Amino acid sequence: QVQLVESGGGVAQPGRSLRLSCAASGFNFSNYGMHWVRQAPGKGLEWVAVISYDGSNKYYADSVKGRFTISRDTSKNTLYLQMNSLRAEDTAVYYCAKDRLGITYYFDYWGQGTLVTVSS
Amino acid sequence: EIVLTQSPATLSLSPGERATLSCRASQSVSSSLAWYQQKPGQAPRLLIYDASNRATGIPARFSGSGSGTDFTLTISSLEPEDFAVYYCQQRSNWPRTFGQGTKVEIK
């Protein structure tokens, strides 16, 4: 069955960096677009970034553009999110999510999430 | 940015009752709308995509309808496991956005 397992969350000071990972299994990772979606504590959902099945296309929410970088390693079936210049408003649970098909922006499987707290 | 407004914010119902949740878009999203269910401490689960298509493994008591700016998620007869928060999401325009959620709670 499809499994997505995030790691790498934690506490970071404003302006510092973190890298999140998402290990995928149970499906052909190289065939699907992959996303990061976040949820601030007690708040709703915010789409963050997407990467195409082959890594050739990447798109970002304006709130993270220029600071975050999405990437993937097909040999390791792993998705990444490099987060630089972190801000307090980046505090959230970060979910990796599989696209339903190529890049449809429908998220049919989600990981359990990893909490990122940005605080001094 | 397309704003999705969900109503009501909270729906208090008993098991076995019918739940009707609304999602209104600030401009047309055609049929490019999904519904997700989220339980406390869990990740969201895709229920409906393209306004009316049930995702894999979703029970038939969940149905979606609508197009343009007005959408509805209907749960025909609430089961105990259906009490959760429900979000709509559009993929028609940038940025992709979610509604603020409707909480379905036990009355």
Side-chain angles (χ1 to χ4, degrees):
Chain A
Q1 72 280 21
V2 173
Q3 276 200 304
L4 299 169
V5 180
E6 301 95 336
S7 60
V11 180
Q13 292 182 327
R16 302 302 290 264
S17 299
L18 278 177
R19 188 176 85 152
L20 306 183
S21 300
C22 171
S25 61
F27 67 102
N28 193 335
F29 182 69
S30 60
N31 282 0
Y32 294 90
M34 295 293 296
H35 303 259
W36 289 98
V37 180
R38 68 184 179 183
Q39 186 170 35
K43 302 296 185 182
L45 299 161
E46 180 188 16
W47 173 81
V48 172
V50 63
I51 186 168
S52 60
Y53 71 98
D54 61 355
S56 61
N57 293 296
K58 305 174 186 180
Y59 303 99
Y60 301 91
D62 285 347
S63 57
V64 307
K65 199 174 296 182
R67 300 188 298 122
F68 289 12
T69 302
I70 190 171
S71 61
R72 65 192 297 161
D73 185 337
T74 301
S75 68
K76 296 181 179 179
N77 281 0
T78 302
L79 176 72
Y80 302 100
L81 186 67
Q82 178 67 43
M83 304 187 297
N84 299 332
S85 303
L86 283 163
R87 304 169 180 167
E89 54 265 34
D90 296 320
T91 294
V93 173
Y94 285 73
Y95 297 101
C96 69
K98 171 186 166 293
D99 198 285
R100 199 182 76 81
L101 292 173
I103 298 184
T104 67
Y105 293 92
Y106 292 141
F107 320 116
D108 64 349
Y109 289 94
W110 300 59
Q112 84 289 351
T114 188
L115 177 62
V116 172
T117 302
V118 183
S119 173
S120 54
Chain B
E1 173 174 322
I2 291 180
V3 176
L4 299 177
T5 302
Q6 293 187 241
S7 61
T10 303
L11 196 52
S12 298
L13 295 169
S14 300
E17 289 194 293
R18 182 183 189 89
T20 303
L21 287 66
S22 174
C23 177
R24 177 163 289 178
S26 59
Q27 63 189 81
S28 177
V29 299
S30 186
S31 295
S32 297
L33 188 110
W35 291 92
Y36 298 85
Q37 175 195 69
Q38 187 177 32
K39 298 178 183 178
Q42 296 187 18
R45 177 173 72 143
L46 177 65
L47 300 174
I48 301 287
Y49 65 93
D50 286 342
S52 61
N53 295 298
R54 269 190 304 276
T56 303
I58 301 304
R61 64 180 181 273
F62 292 92
S63 63
S65 63
S67 66
T69 60
D70 289 301
F71 300 87
T72 300
L73 174 70
T74 302
I75 311 171
S76 59
S77 178
L78 283 164
E79 296 288 338
E81 62 267 28
D82 298 337
F83 292 92
V85 178
Y86 292 83
Y87 294 95
C88 57
Q89 174 242 330
Q90 66 83 21
R91 65 158 193 154
S92 176
N93 285 62
W94 286 98
R96 308 328 192 192
T97 51
F98 291 84
Q100 83 284 8
T102 289
K103 181 179 182 180
V104 178
E105 66 176 22
I106 300 176
K107 187 174 182 180

